[in-house]
Amino acid sequence: GSEGIRYIRFHPTRPRFVYSSKVKDEDRFELHVCTLDDATGLWSADRIDLGEGRRMNHVNGCAYQFTSDGSMLLVKVVPAGWPSSAPAEPASTGPSVQEVTKGARKAPGRTYQDLLR
């Protein structure tokens, strides 16, 4: 079972398309290819095996695409050993702020007006 189709990519020259869908109750996507059988006029869908432990990289949109001549399907995958979840605490939560303590030496605020000249 899946939770719906995310992206569809059509083959440039043949009656074929590829789509991915999120697997229910899991944090992963499956990739499927659908091909039209000319003899029967029926579509068949087959799951594409990405290999053990490989996940598609959907960070910048669709993770797969046919080449312009349709000879290959290119799939962006997450590097091996890459964690499946974000780090517990982000590297930076915002700008660095300094508090002025009572009795501290006064100094002018720095400006960088001359950087663009």
Side-chain angles (χ1 to χ4, degrees), residues 5-9 19-20 29 31 55-65 74-78:
I5 295 172
R6 298 294 189 225
Y7 297 101
I8 296 176
R9 291 291 183 251
Y19 69 93
S20 68
F29 286 85
L31 190 60
R55 298 173 293 155
M56 285 184 283
N57 185 351
H58 286 281
V59 171
N60 294 321
C62 188
Y64 47 90
Q65 173 178 330
L74 306 175
V75 181
K76 292 185 284 185
V77 295
V78 176

Side-chain angles (χ1 to χ4, degrees), residues 2 8 10-11 18 20-22 35 37 41 43-44 46 49 56 61-62 68 83 86 89 100 103-104 106 109 115:
S2 70
I8 296 176
F10 292 93
H11 192 278
V18 177
S20 68
S21 60
K22 185 174 182 300
T35 308
D37 184 351
W43 288 92
S44 65
D46 298 307
D49 186 18
M56 285 184 283
C62 188
S68 60
E89 187 174 317
V100 177
K106 292 185 178 183
L115 288 177

